[in-house]
Amino acid sequence: MAVKCEDCPLRKQPLFTPFKTDDVRFMQRFKVGEMSIDAGTPLLLEGNSSAQLFTVLRGMGLRYKTLENGDRQVINLVYPGDFLGLQAALMQEMQHTVEATTEMTLCVFDRSAFYDFFVSNPSRAFDVTWLAAVEEHFLGASLATVGQRDALSAIAWAVVTVFERAQMVGLAKGMTIPFPYRQQDLADALGLSLVHTNKTFAKLRERQLVSWHDGVLVVNDPQSLRDIAGITESEIRKRPLM
Amino acid sequence: MAVKCEDCPLRKQPLFTPFKTDDVRFMQRFKVGEMSIDAGTPLLLEGNSSAQLFTVLRGMGLRYKTLENGDRQVINLVYPGDFLGLQAALMQEMQHTVEATTEMTLCVFDRSAFYDFFVSNPSRAFDVTWLAAVEEHFLGASLATVGQRDALSAIAWAVVTVFERAQMVGLAKGMTIPFPYRQQDLADALGLSLVHTNKTFAKLRERQLVSWHDGVLVVNDPQSLRDIAGITESEIRKRPLM
DNA sequence: CGGTCGATTGACACCTTTCAATACGGGTGG
DNA sequence: CCACCCGTATTGAAAGGTGTCAATCGACCG
């Protein structure tokens, strides 16, 4: 049975800006269904268009681009509350692939209603733009990491950022968060080789700052990690939930 | 004397999606003035908010973030037609600095009218979102370059992309485009050191693929550069003009 | 003419990649 | 039940791309 927007467990998470009662009803009308996909399944394919828009209700995933030579750049990690398919709705096609890393449940919205959206609810239209701006901000931060930080501080940055993000959507239990990715995924996100990612992460582990086993990440010393990364303020920005 | 939107020279450039007559009038009403700034001047400052939004009418610039340790990541280059200040209008403050590299002329819009914008003109609101999505796409492409390409193909990618972008806004004269940046700017955009950028660019020059002197870039062999960069399709996307 | 800024080069250190091999757990077929 | 295979994590060693340090050069400027 599909979750009603009214009962959406995400709305109360601190990452998201408050919902107006009207907006809840509006989104409920816009929501055409719910969908589950298995771990490892692609949801949106680079170069394809999509008839739907999605909001992640449960589960985690990856966005990535594939280069001509086969190299892969992970654009970012996909968490509950993320709104997927906006690019395909605006430009003709997706510029990257979105793939489920764990089993995933998604709210489905009809793309053909997307423009009406702007006409009938300016407030929500504004929120969509806000979302795009938040995404842009985060990509800028990632670019700065990949471009300027060395491997140790890049990994420290990633750990801290992922941890804060998970906290904001209620996935953290104390200092522990789910992190169902492979080291190769982290390497491809930071522009590092798998081997070097492994060895560099091991340094942080040896210093007792963080550990990572069986899809679970434990952050023992966030402040030291921030120091290593040279982080002054959080990259996480509040955002609307669609 | 300020340029009337009706007479805007940018509108006819191939980069931009067609304007509806109504939109021209609407933007004219929204435009509160014009502004010129000198080369080397910051326009929007990281961490600050802004009471205005701008569209670049003439001139070129840079967006960049500064890290705690002083390193600088150039987010992208600013060309005529770019819409600036959206982040500050949506989130509380700018996440990066925008600086004029050449003398620059800007159309000025009042930020306080920005929300009304969404209420009174859904079509233009949609366009703002489109713009944000285009920006996001480009940042993803940049991230892939910085993360996955080696120095030679990264620089080749930058040259080709910059060249195509300049062509699309009518700045190219044959194979020549204005490129008023320093090698340090290019280095900071690609996450490379100045010295290595210089030596690597020299390789492309020795192969007669490109030259760059006195703020002018000459692209002799775009196809070879694309091959080196491993570019399959252009990163440039048509976009609305604000 | 001294001073500054950007481009260019050479030498060298070192961070990161690549190549290879081992280890470990889960799944599968005999 | 066990041998075998596969994906992932881990390590060691060597090669190589990139960064850092330093010095030179040319153009511009007060």
Side-chain angles (χ1 to χ4, degrees):
Chain A
M1 180 52 197
V3 173
K4 288 183 183 159
C5 295
E6 193 186 340
D7 304 325
C8 180
L10 291 172
R11 271 171 49 213
K12 59 177 69 115
Q13 296 304 329
L15 180 63
F16 305 108
T17 54
F19 252 65
K20 283 168 248 161
T21 316
D22 284 353
D23 287 342
V24 177
R25 278 201 294 272
F26 181 82
M27 293 311 290
Q28 181 69 64
R29 195 146 36 87
F30 193 41
K31 176 171 173 176
V32 299
E34 216 161 275
M35 176 170 147
S36 279
I37 58 175
D38 289 340
T41 313
L43 174 64
L44 296 166
L45 280 178
E46 188 170 352
N48 285 35
S49 67
S50 167
Q52 289 94 32
L53 294 161
F54 306 98
T55 290
V56 179
L57 198 53
R58 276 187 293 270
M60 302 171 74
L62 283 176
R63 303 185 207 233
Y64 62 83
K65 282 175 81 76
T66 304
L67 277 69
E68 194 185 42
N69 65 5
D71 282 353
R72 185 182 73 147
Q73 174 67 41
V74 170
I75 304 293
N76 65 21
L77 306 183
V78 174
Y79 279 80
D82 278 4
F83 189 53
L84 307 174
L86 185 59
Q87 281 199 354
L90 290 165
M91 316 201 301
Q92 296 312 314
E93 50 183 51
M94 290 300 294
Q95 310 299 330
H96 55 253
T97 297
V98 180
E99 189 175 293
T101 302
T102 67
E103 201 261 353
M104 218 163 156
T105 306
L106 306 133
C107 300
V108 183
F109 303 105
D110 183 5
R111 170 182 160 177
S112 67
F114 187 59
Y115 184 80
D116 297 339
F117 202 94
F118 277 77
V119 175
S120 58
N121 195 332
S123 159
R124 289 263 82 189
F126 189 85
D127 285 344
V128 172
T129 309
W130 180 340
L131 259 183
V134 169
E135 212 54 62
E136 187 184 334
H137 162 249
F138 185 76
L139 285 183
S142 298
L143 189 57
T145 292
V146 175
Q148 306 301 329
R149 291 190 230 259
D150 63 21
L152 191 71
S153 66
I155 291 178
W157 178 88
V159 168
V160 170
T161 301
V162 152
F163 178 59
E164 291 180 347
R165 176 70 189 273
Q167 282 186 314
M168 297 285 276
V169 291
L171 287 173
K173 291 174 181 157
M175 304 310 273
T176 299
I177 63 168
F179 197 67
Y181 303 98
R182 296 168 302 153
Q183 294 191 351
Q184 184 71 64
D185 297 326
L186 184 58
D188 289 345
L190 298 174
L192 301 169
S193 70
L194 170 61
V195 172
H196 196 54
T197 299
N198 180 293
K199 290 177 179 170
T200 306
F201 191 92
K203 287 183 189 171
L204 296 176
R205 188 195 314 130
E206 286 158 15
R207 297 189 203 176
Q208 316 272 321
L209 304 179
V210 60
S211 67
W212 175 17
H213 292 292
D214 306 314
V216 173
L217 187 73
V218 184
V219 180
N220 298 312
D221 189 344
Q223 191 50 52
S224 294
L225 290 168
R226 280 192 202 95
D227 293 343
I228 291 171
I231 295 175
T232 49
E233 56 174 332
S234 172
E235 302 292 3
I236 311 298
R237 293 286 174 281
K238 289 217 178 198
R239 72 187 69 187
L241 174 65
M242 292 288 136
Chain B
M1 181 52 199
V3 173
K4 288 183 182 159
C5 295
E6 194 186 338
D7 305 324
C8 181
L10 290 173
R11 271 170 48 211
K12 59 177 71 113
Q13 297 303 330
L15 180 63
F16 306 108
T17 53
F19 253 65
K20 283 167 252 167
T21 315
D22 284 352
D23 286 342
V24 177
R25 279 200 292 273
F26 182 82
M27 292 311 290
Q28 181 70 63
R29 193 145 38 84
F30 193 42
K31 176 172 174 178
V32 298
E34 217 162 272
M35 176 170 147
S36 278
I37 58 176
D38 290 339
T41 314
L43 173 65
L44 296 166
L45 281 178
E46 188 170 351
N48 285 36
S49 67
S50 167
Q52 289 94 32
L53 294 161
F54 306 98
T55 290
V56 180
L57 198 52
R58 277 187 293 270
M60 302 171 74
L62 283 175
R63 303 185 206 233
Y64 61 82
K65 283 174 81 76
T66 305
L67 277 68
E68 194 184 42
N69 66 3
D71 282 354
R72 185 181 74 146
Q73 174 68 41
V74 170
I75 305 293
N76 66 20
L77 306 182
V78 175
Y79 278 82
D82 278 4
F83 190 52
L84 307 174
L86 185 59
Q87 281 198 356
L90 290 165
M91 315 198 306
Q92 295 313 312
E93 50 181 53
M94 290 299 294
Q95 311 297 330
H96 55 253
T97 296
V98 180
E99 190 176 292
T101 301
T102 66
E103 200 261 353
M104 217 163 160
T105 306
L106 305 134
C107 299
V108 183
F109 303 104
D110 183 6
R111 169 181 159 177
S112 67
F114 187 60
Y115 184 79
D116 297 339
F117 201 94
F118 277 76
V119 175
S120 58
N121 195 332
S123 160
R124 290 263 81 189
F126 188 84
D127 285 344
V128 172
T129 309
W130 181 340
L131 260 183
V134 169
E135 212 52 64
E136 186 184 334
H137 162 250
F138 185 76
L139 284 183
S142 298
L143 189 58
T145 292
V146 175
Q148 306 302 329
R149 293 189 227 259
D150 63 22
L152 191 71
S153 65
I155 291 178
W157 177 88
V159 168
V160 170
T161 302
V162 152
F163 178 59
E164 292 180 347
R165 177 69 190 274
Q167 281 186 314
M168 296 284 276
V169 292
L171 287 173
K173 291 175 182 157
M175 304 310 272
T176 300
I177 62 168
F179 198 67
Y181 304 98
R182 295 168 303 154
Q183 293 191 353
Q184 183 71 65
D185 297 326
L186 183 58
D188 288 345
L190 298 175
L192 301 169
S193 71
L194 170 60
V195 173
H196 196 54
T197 299
N198 179 293
K199 290 176 179 169
T200 306
F201 191 92
K203 287 183 188 170
L204 296 177
R205 188 195 315 130
E206 286 158 16
R207 296 190 202 175
Q208 316 272 322
L209 304 179
V210 60
S211 67
W212 175 17
H213 293 292
D214 306 313
V216 173
L217 188 73
V218 183
V219 180
N220 299 311
D221 189 344
Q223 191 50 52
S224 293
L225 290 168
R226 280 192 202 95
D227 292 344
I228 291 171
I231 295 176
T232 48
E233 56 174 332
S234 172
E235 302 292 4
I236 312 298
R237 292 285 174 281
K238 289 217 178 198
R239 70 187 72 185
L241 173 65
M242 292 288 135

